[in-house]
């Protein structure tokens, strides 16, 4: 409990410390390069990537395809859909943080704070209040009085829990029509006495054909992007 409170007090204010702006240029370069290792963590935990990659992965399982499309293709598609869905957030970060900092209009600490704010607003808009309250209960802290008082330590896990929940709900709806095809094929083969024929041998091409006819990839991608608006 004490460790959680100490971390909660330390993290939001560390970027405001003057030592960030007083570092030597060489040390600031080293700090910047080292911080690049956190980019995958930020992408996974603070953007739309988690929901998109989970839905696409479960879609592949619903189709009965184990390694097609490959993981690299799904990750690349998820990244581009994430950029597309969060284009407004990234534009705010570029306008309020990256461009002013490269023009030496603001200091490093202000640039980082300006970059965090759009991400924080995005996560707040996508976080289920129930999950946020449960995270606060686990941390044994009082509810924040305003949006500005929300701590990233509590917001990020609540956001990820909301993303996981919604991703599985979307995947369940995607699974249903493919499950019906599997059941119909299995029942038909059983009625025809073709017990030795694996149902997946017949249902797999049928599911792929149906998915292509309805332009499934476009529908899924459009639904994922629209779910963030």
């Amino acid at each position: 409990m004490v460790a959680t409170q100490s971390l909660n007090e330390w993290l939001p204010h560390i970027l405001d410390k003057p030592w960030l702006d007083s570092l030597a240029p060489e040390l600031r370069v080293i700090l910047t390069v080292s911080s690049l290792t956190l980019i995958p963590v930020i992408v996974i935990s603070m953007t739309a990537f988690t929901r998109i990659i989970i839905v696409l992965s479960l879609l592949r399982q619903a189709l009965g395809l184990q390694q097609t499309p490959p993981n690299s293709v799904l990750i690349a598609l998820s990244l581009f859909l994430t950029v597309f869905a969060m284009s407004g957030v990234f534009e705010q970060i570029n306008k309020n943080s990256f461009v002013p900092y490269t023009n030496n209009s603001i200091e490093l600490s202000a640039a980082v704070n300006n970059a965090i704010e759009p991400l924080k607003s995005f996560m707040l808009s996508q976080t289920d209040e129930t999950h946020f309250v449960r995270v606060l209960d686990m941390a044994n802290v009082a509810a924040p009085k305003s949006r500005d008082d929300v701590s990233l330590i509590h917001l990020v896990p609540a956001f990820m829990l909301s993303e996981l929940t919604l991703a599985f709900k979307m995947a369940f709806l995607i699974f249903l029509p493919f499950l019906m095809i599997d059941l119909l094929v299995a029942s038909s083969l059983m009625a025809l006495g073709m017990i030795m024929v694996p149902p997946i041998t017949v249902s797999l091409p049928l599911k792929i054909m149906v998915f292509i006819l309805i332009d499934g990839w476009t529908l899924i991608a459009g639904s994922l992007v629209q779910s963030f608006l």
Side-chain angles (χ1 to χ4, degrees):
M1 174 62 185
V2 176
T4 303
Q5 289 180 340
S6 300
L7 186 61
N8 187 30
E9 295 174 356
W10 168 77
L11 186 60
H13 300 288
I14 189 171
L15 296 174
D16 295 328
K17 298 299 181 182
W19 64 268
L20 283 173
D21 301 324
S22 61
L23 289 176
E26 294 79 6
L27 292 178
R28 294 176 70 174
V29 171
I30 295 175
L31 181 62
T32 302
V33 174
S34 301
S35 63
L36 293 178
T37 58
L38 298 176
I39 291 180
V41 178
I42 294 175
V43 170
I44 293 174
S45 61
M46 302 176 68
T47 68
F49 179 82
T50 298
R51 184 191 306 181
I52 295 174
I53 189 63
I54 290 177
V55 171
L56 293 181
S57 299
L58 292 177
L59 169 63
R60 181 174 63 180
Q61 295 186 23
L63 286 170
L65 303 172
Q66 301 301 320
Q67 297 297 330
T68 304
N71 290 331
S72 57
V73 174
L74 290 183
I75 292 174
L77 178 59
S78 299
L79 285 173
F80 280 104
L81 289 177
T82 299
V83 173
F84 187 73
M86 300 186 60
S87 58
V89 176
F90 294 146
E91 287 177 2
Q92 293 181 35
I93 295 175
N94 181 64
K95 179 181 178 181
N96 300 329
S97 177
F98 182 74
V99 173
Y101 180 69
T102 54
N103 293 334
N104 296 322
S105 301
I106 58 176
E107 299 294 341
L108 177 61
S109 57
V112 175
N113 287 328
N114 291 345
I116 290 177
E117 284 303 318
L119 286 174
K120 187 176 179 180
S121 298
F122 170 78
M123 288 189 290
L124 283 171
S125 65
Q126 300 297 324
T127 301
D128 187 3
E129 183 178 354
T130 303
H131 293 115
F132 187 65
V133 171
R134 289 180 178 176
V135 170
L136 293 178
D137 290 339
M138 288 187 288
N140 195 20
V141 296
K145 297 180 180 179
S146 65
R147 295 169 63 95
D148 296 333
D149 297 332
V150 176
S151 172
L152 288 178
I153 297 178
H154 305 136
L155 178 59
V156 172
F159 169 73
M160 294 191 69
L161 290 174
S162 298
E163 289 295 284
L164 288 171
T165 302
L166 185 55
F168 274 81
K169 288 181 180 179
M170 297 178 68
F172 172 75
L173 296 177
I174 293 173
F175 257 94
L176 287 180
F178 297 115
L179 178 62
M180 293 301 300
I181 293 176
D182 288 332
L183 293 176
L184 289 175
V185 169
S187 300
S188 300
L189 292 177
M190 184 72 68
L192 294 173
M194 303 173 65
I195 303 176
M196 301 302 295
V197 179
I200 192 173
T201 305
V202 180
S203 64
L204 179 58
L206 288 178
K207 289 189 289 187
I208 294 177
M209 180 187 67
V210 171
F211 193 66
I212 292 174
L213 290 176
I214 64 174
D215 196 11
W217 288 112
T218 303
L219 290 176
I220 295 297
S223 299
L224 285 170
V225 172
Q226 290 293 326
S227 66
F228 292 98
L229 301 180

